[in-house]
Amino acid sequence: MERRLDAGAMIWRNCCISLLLLIMLVSSSTGQLTASFYDVSCPDAQATVKKVIRQALQTDSRIGASLLRLHFHDCFVNGCDGSILLDDTSSFTGEKTAPPNLNSARGFDVVDTIKTQLESACNGTVSCADILAIAARDAVVLDGGPSWTVQLGRRDSTTASFNTAKNDIPSPALTVPQLISKFQAKGLSTQDMVTLSGAHTIGQARCSSFSGRLYNFSGTGKPDTTIDKTFLANLQQQCPQGGNTNQLQPLDLGTPTRFDNQYYRNLQANKGLLNSDEVLYSTSGTTNSLVVSYAGNQNTFFDSFQSAMIKLGNISPLTGTSGQIRKNCRVVNT
């Protein structure tokens, strides 16, 4: 009797697994992402990603911001397909050396560590594009921010685009109308733009990204008048004319390694580091009102950030039989 029950239980278990695999296959072939994509094929995938990031944060407080930025820059170039991770070769120029990424995109070694561990546990299963999506979420959570359910099932591109990275990734010098246009081109709203800009509550930027505001704003030969005078004087000291343009300054003056709503409070105090930050508040209209709302209520910002990150991660993913699952995130499978 016990053997018959055991056999019946085993048949039931196998049927359930087969049904789940079938559902995953159908979802993949129809281009739909699903939170349960690796539940059977690599059940420890998300735990592995989080473990590696937690370890990396112990020696590099910037890594959370860097991983979040990698996902954003990846998705803005032909969709969330892991293309930013591809190294240049003698016959191929990828996105790493495009102006928005050159000498600033980082965290590739952490992605390599994650991929190596996942390949050991689940060979050829978890895509590099999905690693970036999970890593972005976990980076935010480990830095004190909100969590969200990451939709999975992306596959990796076999190409990358230097020119698209150069042209599509928003510049720190853009105005509000230009920022809105860049984000709308990716299916993201004005609110998404202001919300995702809040990622600048962690991380740093090079002097070259904002020095124009300090000395010759818009060709006037004078600093940007919207900058708080004390803040301006400090930035000029840290980023002198003719100095090291790769010198770093925190994007969030108050809590640069904690994911919170301090970024928006900085904007209200005219202490936004980048022009693309400060214009969100200094320009009247929707962006200004959103800055005020997020500065006044961190939960409102967190709720909006969760939704915006899910939308970002859904930009033109490769699914089904498109692309591939790279064995090494830096190179296309041979």
Side-chain angles (χ1 to χ4, degrees):
M1 179 66 176
E2 289 182 357
R3 289 181 179 179
R4 285 198 296 272
L5 286 175
D6 289 344
M10 184 65 70
I11 293 172
W12 174 254
R13 175 180 176 275
N14 290 339
C15 287
C16 289
I17 292 175
S18 298
L19 179 60
L20 181 56
L21 287 171
L22 179 61
I23 292 172
M24 290 168 57
L25 179 61
V26 171
S27 295
S28 175
S29 65
T30 56
Q32 295 177 350
L33 303 181
T34 171
S36 60
F37 193 83
Y38 298 113
D39 283 4
V40 173
S41 60
C42 196
D44 293 330
Q46 298 197 52
T48 298
V49 175
K50 192 168 189 176
K51 178 190 68 175
V52 172
I53 297 174
R54 182 182 284 111
Q55 293 171 343
L57 279 167
Q58 293 176 0
T59 56
D60 182 0
S61 62
R62 295 175 56 203
I63 199 62
S66 298
L67 293 170
L68 177 57
R69 187 168 182 258
L70 277 183
H71 180 49
F72 178 86
H73 281 209
D74 180 45
C75 292
F76 256 67
V77 182
N78 298 329
C80 308
D81 59 5
S83 59
I84 193 174
L85 301 174
L86 289 171
D87 284 340
D88 292 352
T89 67
S90 58
S91 59
F92 170 82
T93 301
E95 298 163 21
K96 290 182 177 179
T97 56
N101 297 323
L102 182 63
N103 297 325
S104 64
R106 60 192 299 274
F108 300 108
D109 55 336
V110 176
V111 175
D112 290 341
T113 299
I114 294 169
K115 184 61 173 173
T116 297
Q117 293 191 17
L118 289 176
E119 283 298 302
S120 177
C122 317
N123 182 43
T125 301
V126 182
S127 70
C128 301
D130 275 348
I131 289 174
L132 288 181
I134 299 168
R137 189 270 313 278
D138 290 345
V140 170
V141 171
L142 291 171
D143 276 343
S147 182
W148 59 92
T149 300
V150 179
Q151 300 299 304
L152 301 167
R154 300 169 191 79
R155 289 170 63 85
D156 299 321
S157 69
T158 56
T159 61
S161 176
F162 175 96
N163 287 332
T164 304
K166 177 182 177 181
N167 296 324
D168 286 14
I169 296 174
S171 159
L174 295 184
T175 64
V176 165
Q178 291 170 330
L179 287 167
I180 291 174
S181 177
K182 289 280 188 181
F183 278 73
Q184 283 183 341
K186 305 301 176 181
L188 299 170
S189 68
T190 298
Q191 180 171 356
D192 295 328
M193 183 267 289
V194 178
T195 302
L196 292 172
S197 295
H200 288 173
T201 188
I202 53 176
Q204 302 183 53
R206 294 175 296 164
C207 290
S208 59
S209 298
F210 57 86
S211 58
R213 302 184 69 205
L214 309 182
Y215 304 103
N216 185 27
F217 184 61
S218 298
T220 62
K222 299 179 181 180
D224 183 349
T225 57
T226 65
I227 306 177
D228 174 83
K229 291 183 178 179
T230 301
F231 185 47
L232 172 63
N234 178 67
L235 290 177
Q236 288 176 329
Q237 183 177 9
Q238 298 298 320
C239 302
Q241 286 184 297
N244 179 10
T245 59
N246 288 320
Q247 181 72 30
L248 295 170
Q249 289 297 302
L251 287 159
D252 180 337
L253 186 64
T255 53
T257 60
R258 182 166 183 79
F259 198 99
D260 54 23
N261 67 335
Q262 183 62 45
Y263 162 83
Y264 297 103
R265 297 178 182 179
N266 292 340
L267 300 189
Q268 287 183 304
N270 297 321
K271 294 180 180 180
L273 188 65
L274 306 179
N275 181 74
S276 57
D277 292 329
E278 192 57 52
V279 293
L280 301 180
Y281 181 70
S282 62
T283 303
S284 61
T286 302
T287 63
N288 173 280
S289 61
L290 284 168
V291 169
V292 172
S293 175
Y294 294 159
N297 191 319
Q298 181 167 280
N299 288 334
T300 298
F301 165 50
F302 279 10
D303 288 345
S304 294
F305 194 81
Q306 292 168 319
S307 298
M309 285 300 296
I310 292 172
K311 288 180 66 175
L312 174 71
N314 284 337
I315 297 177
S316 304
L318 297 174
T319 59
T321 57
S322 299
Q324 60 182 213
I325 306 298
R326 285 190 228 128
K327 301 278 189 175
N328 179 337
C329 291
R330 293 176 179 264
V331 297
V332 174
N333 296 345
T334 56

